[in-house]
Amino acid sequence: QVQVVESGGGKVQPGGSLTLSCIASGDISAISATDWYRQVSPTKRERIAHLTNLGTADVVDSVKGRFTISRDPTKPTVYLQMYDLTPEDTGVYYCKVVRHGFDYWGQGTRVTVSS
């Protein structure tokens, strides 16, 4: 089992920045990938960032140049650095860890971009 906890959400003005953290615990050996998702509707989550255990990173076009996904090499933490935030970035952000073909989700952290 893997437990996933996100943190770092909050309210920020347009143009501001936030860094979200995703901490995995439990049986974290052989994690193959960590993703960040954003809830865009009551029934849809959109993957916005992807990081493999080999270090391959990618973000969707809508956040490219503004969001960066990275890993702390000293601990099981993945970050989502978000810059130049807009109201369209508002939502609940979820971290998903993939291990042996199973997905482990956190409870989410809310980001609100508003003046």
Side-chain angles (χ1 to χ4, degrees):
Q1 287 287 334
V2 178
Q3 293 76 47
V4 180
V5 177
E6 305 97 333
S7 64
K11 184 176 180 180
V12 63
Q13 293 186 343
S17 303
L18 280 175
T19 295
L20 307 183
S21 299
C22 172
I23 300 175
S25 61
D27 195 353
I28 60 173
S29 63
I31 289 176
S32 57
T34 303
D35 299 326
W36 281 99
Y37 283 72
R38 177 167 62 199
Q39 193 84 32
V40 297
S41 74
T43 58
K44 181 181 177 182
R45 278 180 197 178
E46 172 191 40
R47 191 176 77 171
I48 57 171
H50 174 69
L51 180 65
T52 72
N53 63 321
L54 298 178
T56 301
D58 194 20
V59 297
V60 295
D61 288 345
S62 61
V63 305
K64 198 157 288 187
R66 300 189 300 121
F67 289 16
T68 301
I69 186 170
S70 62
R71 174 186 290 116
D72 187 324
T74 65
K75 49 189 174 182
T77 303
V78 171
Y79 302 101
L80 183 68
Q81 295 171 291
M82 307 186 294
Y83 302 97
D84 194 19
L85 287 161
T86 73
E88 289 70 35
D89 296 316
T90 294
V92 179
Y93 286 69
Y94 294 90
C95 179
K96 184 187 81 175
V97 169
V98 183
R99 180 182 180 275
H100 288 318
F102 289 90
D103 296 341
Y104 300 89
W105 292 87
Q107 293 300 306
T109 185
R110 180 173 293 277
V111 171
T112 302
V113 185
S114 173
S115 55

